[in-house]
Amino acid sequence: MTTTEDSDSTRGRESKVARLIEEYELQGIGAELEALWTDDDPENRMSLRALADLFNKQLLQSAMERAGNQPLNGEVDNVYRLLNDESTSRADQTRTRRQLERDGLDVAALEEDFVSYQSIRTYLTKHRDADYDRSTNRTDSVSESIQRLQSRVQNVTGSKLRRLKNAGEISLGSFRVLVDIRIVCEDCGVQKDLTTLLDGGGCECG
């Protein structure tokens, strides 16, 4: 997913999320994000990554409505998936972007506004002073640590490949680096990607 980091992350300056809430007139979503992050019930609590997706979908829906569209039920989720899911083909992503542009959306500007989970964390902890007892649920910190490792692997791999390409040592067209971590439970046989496993509370053994 294309996101920009929260450059206004220091206390006393408006965070990116706070600015977008005002620009897109998303009244009430700040309190909703805080409630979902700090909920005492683990089944209702959402990870920072899930909250970032939720927020970005609200941006997308608002942008579509401002362009005069009335998204059908499930349409926003599907469009967001087509724009951001790494398993989506480049052709499908291109078709989705062109359709949105024909509908009057500035897709490049919208994707620039999409936020990362780091921006959500900055907004909740620094702008809203939110927190919860992480000793009861460590999945967020584990997920964030592994995502940072994935991002580093993607960046290093892409950099190395570009160097080889520029040096003429390999032939390679336009490319993307995908890092997919999947977990297979040898007891129940379930195979899930990391995010699905953590957000779903594990495999089927329980």
Side-chain angles (χ1 to χ4, degrees), residues 37 46-52 117 120-121 124 134 140 144:
W37 190 52
M46 292 179 65
S47 68
L48 291 168
R49 178 171 177 174
L51 291 174
Y117 72 88
I120 294 292
R121 179 174 56 191
L124 290 173
R134 291 180 180 272
D140 268 346
E144 291 166 22

Side-chain angles (χ1 to χ4, degrees), residues 118-192:
Q118 293 102 323
S119 294
I120 294 292
R121 179 174 56 191
T122 298
Y123 170 72
L124 290 173
T125 59
K126 297 185 181 298
H127 187 85
R128 299 188 66 90
D129 293 323
D131 196 7
Y132 71 88
D133 185 3
R134 291 180 180 272
S135 63
T136 61
N137 186 345
R138 298 186 178 91
T139 56
D140 268 346
S141 60
V142 170
S143 177
E144 291 166 22
S145 296
I146 296 175
Q147 286 173 35
R148 285 194 292 270
L149 290 174
Q150 283 182 271
S151 178
R152 177 163 176 77
V153 170
Q154 285 178 308
N155 291 336
V156 171
T157 302
S159 176
K160 298 293 185 182
L161 288 175
R162 279 188 289 272
R163 289 182 183 178
L164 291 174
K165 176 183 176 180
N166 293 337
E169 298 185 33
I170 63 171
S171 176
L172 183 64
S174 178
F175 70 92
R176 292 184 297 160
V177 177
L178 305 180
V179 179
D180 184 26
I181 298 178
R182 303 192 66 82
I183 294 87
V184 179
C185 177
E186 297 183 349
D187 291 333
C188 65
V190 164
Q191 180 179 157
K192 295 183 178 182

